[in-house]
Amino acid sequence: MDKKLKQFLVKSIVVLLLIHLAYFIYGYFKFAGLKDINIYTEFYRFKFYDDVSISHFFVSGLFLFFFLIFLLRNHTRQGYSFLNLLKIGGLILLISFLSFSFFISYSFGLNAKLKSELPEADFNADKTLLNVLNSFLYNYTSYSSEKLFNPENILYPKPYPVIKATESIDYGSDGNEYSVNEYTYFSIDTLKVLTSTYEKVNNKADSIFDILGFDKEQLKKRIISKKAIKDSTEIIFKGREINPDYDEDICIFLQNKKLYAPIQDLPVEKQQYDNAVKRYKLLYKYKADSLLYTFQKLDTVLKKYNIETQINPKLLAKDAFYYRDHNREPLNGIRNTYDRAALKDKFNTLEKLFYKPNYLHPSIALIFFTVIVVVWLILFLLYVVWNPKKKNTSL
């Protein structure tokens, strides 16, 4: 390839990269901020009527116009070989792509500004706070949901979590029979023994069952799962019977393990357990001011994301402790009013912007690549036509 042509193509790419940098900077400073993010927010999609689209159209057109003039005027009639023409075609294709993708750099600028205003560590801290306080944030009608609030969701303290056992008991007299389901809860315990020992006690009674308080047959009925780990056998079984409804340290706020917004790349089970521990300590271990301070942080987070809220941290903390101490009373007066739909939409959008950024919107992807290919074909074919010499020269 001719040295002057190579320099021209490289200079053209450098100019395009500088224009991309300008659009990146423009996107960075054009970002409207966290408060204006909503479900319609997306990284820039070419819209054909705003400042980015209009400037993009003229900048791309002017650049390609002058690029073609200088290419045909100063760098034709060189008689390149077929392989060199392929190399030139590849560079012209790259230039075509760079010429029509300024809006993508604009989106990168928006993303960079987003992450400077909301670093991932801060985003995760806000999600952690919402996950810990999730049980206090539901609309009061949701507290009757057995799916969200039931003893099997309690993860802390020991002997929780528990497993539910259902027994159908038949009643009847005078030929009128009916059955009633009775529910009991058992702790989930683990026994790990050498496989050789387990095989021995599987054949005869052994002191290990006396230690557990079960006979062999009773243990077999209580086994939940059994797994071999190297030379040992791990048995998970129903332990002692638990009565969550009568446990003074278990209120409805602990009967929900649902995460408001899981943190990326952390095991969900670990997050659920850690949040349960923090929630339990706020309710039963720490001073009342700790829960009040946590609700004040919640109020700050809601305002940070521009969520309409009527939460009063003092009143919400008062309600939380009231329903902690009156566990059997229907929960219908907790003062936790805020725009739930707006907060959920905000976090769903931020999750997409952080972890599934769409720099090239699907609605314009086909048009985008079609334009690039068409422009490249026009430029390359014009260059080939203006190169009538077909001599093979050194590569």
Side-chain angles (χ1 to χ4, degrees):
M1 187 188 305
D2 180 69
K3 183 178 180 181
K4 289 184 178 180
L5 176 59
K6 187 183 294 185
Q7 289 177 342
F8 171 71
L9 293 174
V10 170
K11 287 178 182 178
S12 298
I13 292 173
V14 170
V15 170
L16 287 170
L17 292 177
L18 290 174
I19 299 173
H20 274 275
L21 177 61
Y23 272 91
F24 175 89
I25 294 171
Y26 184 49
Y28 185 89
F29 288 104
K30 191 76 181 291
F31 180 71
L34 289 176
K35 291 187 175 183
D36 291 330
I37 287 178
N38 54 51
I39 58 174
Y40 303 106
T41 300
E42 60 189 4
F43 288 131
Y44 186 77
R45 176 171 55 181
F46 210 89
K47 300 173 184 175
F48 301 101
Y49 59 80
D50 61 356
D51 54 347
V52 177
S53 297
I54 294 170
S55 66
H56 198 306
F57 178 81
F58 282 105
V59 171
S60 298
L62 285 172
F63 175 84
L64 290 172
F65 176 74
F66 286 108
F67 171 79
L68 181 60
I69 288 177
F70 287 118
L71 178 66
L72 299 183
R73 181 178 178 181
N74 301 328
H75 303 286
T76 54
R77 303 185 184 279
Q78 302 295 323
Y80 292 120
S81 67
F82 178 74
L83 182 57
N84 264 328
L85 282 176
L86 285 180
K87 291 179 181 179
I88 294 169
L91 288 172
I92 293 176
L93 179 61
L94 175 61
I95 288 170
S96 299
F97 172 78
L98 292 175
S99 299
F100 289 102
S101 56
F102 301 137
F103 69 95
I104 295 178
S105 290
Y106 178 82
S107 290
F108 274 103
L110 294 174
N111 192 15
K113 183 62 172 180
L114 165 64
K115 291 185 177 179
S116 70
E117 284 199 12
L118 183 66
E120 188 175 13
D122 292 351
F123 187 38
N124 287 340
D126 293 340
K127 287 197 282 189
T128 298
L129 179 69
L130 289 168
N131 288 336
V132 171
L133 299 181
N134 192 34
S135 296
F136 302 98
L137 301 180
Y138 288 96
N139 188 295
Y140 76 92
T141 57
S142 298
Y143 287 93
S144 60
S145 168
E146 292 184 2
K147 185 176 180 181
L148 295 175
F149 300 94
N150 70 75
E152 291 178 282
N153 287 333
I154 303 171
L155 301 178
Y156 183 87
K158 289 293 183 182
Y160 300 95
V162 296
I163 187 170
K164 180 167 70 173
T166 305
E167 183 178 1
S168 180
I169 301 177
D170 295 325
Y171 294 92
S173 60
D174 301 327
N176 296 319
E177 295 186 357
Y178 61 95
S179 61
V180 176
N181 289 333
E182 290 193 357
Y183 304 104
T184 51
Y185 296 93
F186 296 91
S187 63
I188 303 173
D189 296 330
T190 302
L191 171 66
K192 193 173 183 180
V193 296
L194 290 173
T195 301
S196 57
T197 303
Y198 175 74
E199 289 174 350
K200 288 180 182 178
V201 301
N202 213 21
N203 297 322
K204 60 180 181 179
D206 195 271
S207 59
I208 191 170
F209 293 112
D210 296 331
I211 295 172
L212 293 172
F214 307 128
D215 60 34
K216 186 171 65 173
E217 294 304 318
Q218 191 177 14
L219 179 62
K220 284 183 177 179
K221 292 179 182 178
R222 293 195 173 207
I223 289 176
I224 300 171
S225 68
K226 185 172 58 177
K227 180 172 63 175
I229 304 175
K230 294 183 179 180
D231 60 347
S232 300
T233 297
E234 181 184 78
I235 306 170
I236 299 176
F237 63 97
K238 299 175 188 176
R240 66 185 178 91
E241 186 174 339
I242 310 297
N243 295 295
D245 290 338
Y246 299 97
D247 191 330
E248 294 182 355
D249 284 349
I250 297 299
C251 66
I252 193 169
F253 301 119
L254 301 176
Q255 296 183 28
N256 180 7
K257 63 181 180 181
K258 186 176 176 62
L259 298 176
Y260 187 88
I263 295 173
Q264 291 284 323
D265 301 325
L266 277 181
V268 169
E269 293 78 10
K270 184 179 187 308
Q271 293 183 59
Q272 290 172 329
Y273 180 79
D274 291 345
N275 293 329
V277 173
K278 292 176 185 176
R279 196 179 304 122
Y280 178 84
K281 290 180 178 179
L282 285 170
L283 283 165
Y284 290 101
K285 294 297 182 183
Y286 298 153
K287 293 181 179 179
D289 287 346
S290 296
L291 184 60
L292 172 60
Y293 173 69
T294 307
F295 284 138
Q296 288 171 341
K297 287 173 63 178
L298 169 67
D299 189 47
T300 301
V301 166
L302 293 176
K303 290 174 180 175
K304 168 183 172 180
Y305 291 103
N306 198 31
I307 304 301
E308 185 178 343
T309 173
Q310 287 81 48
I311 285 179
N312 182 318
K314 289 185 178 179
L315 296 179
L316 184 53
K318 181 180 178 182
D319 291 341
F321 286 121
Y322 177 84
Y323 287 107
R324 178 199 70 178
D325 299 329
H326 298 79
N327 199 27
R328 292 176 175 274
E329 188 168 327
L331 196 158
N332 58 9
I334 187 167
R335 287 165 279 195
N336 60 1
T337 304
Y338 68 98
D339 192 338
R340 291 173 172 82
L343 182 63
K344 198 65 184 175
D345 288 342
K346 180 86 70 171
F347 267 75
N348 288 340
T349 301
L350 286 169
E351 284 284 325
K352 288 196 295 184
L353 296 181
F354 261 88
Y355 304 112
K356 297 179 181 178
N358 215 343
Y359 295 109
L360 182 60
H361 198 276
S363 65
I364 64 170
L366 180 60
I367 298 174
F368 174 72
F369 287 114
T370 300
V371 169
I372 289 174
V373 171
V374 170
V375 170
W376 168 71
L377 281 173
I378 293 172
L379 293 174
F380 186 57
L381 289 175
L382 284 173
Y383 180 75
V384 170
V385 169
W386 253 260
N387 257 292
K389 295 183 180 180
K390 301 298 179 181
K391 299 176 184 177
N392 287 326
T393 60
S394 58
L395 299 181

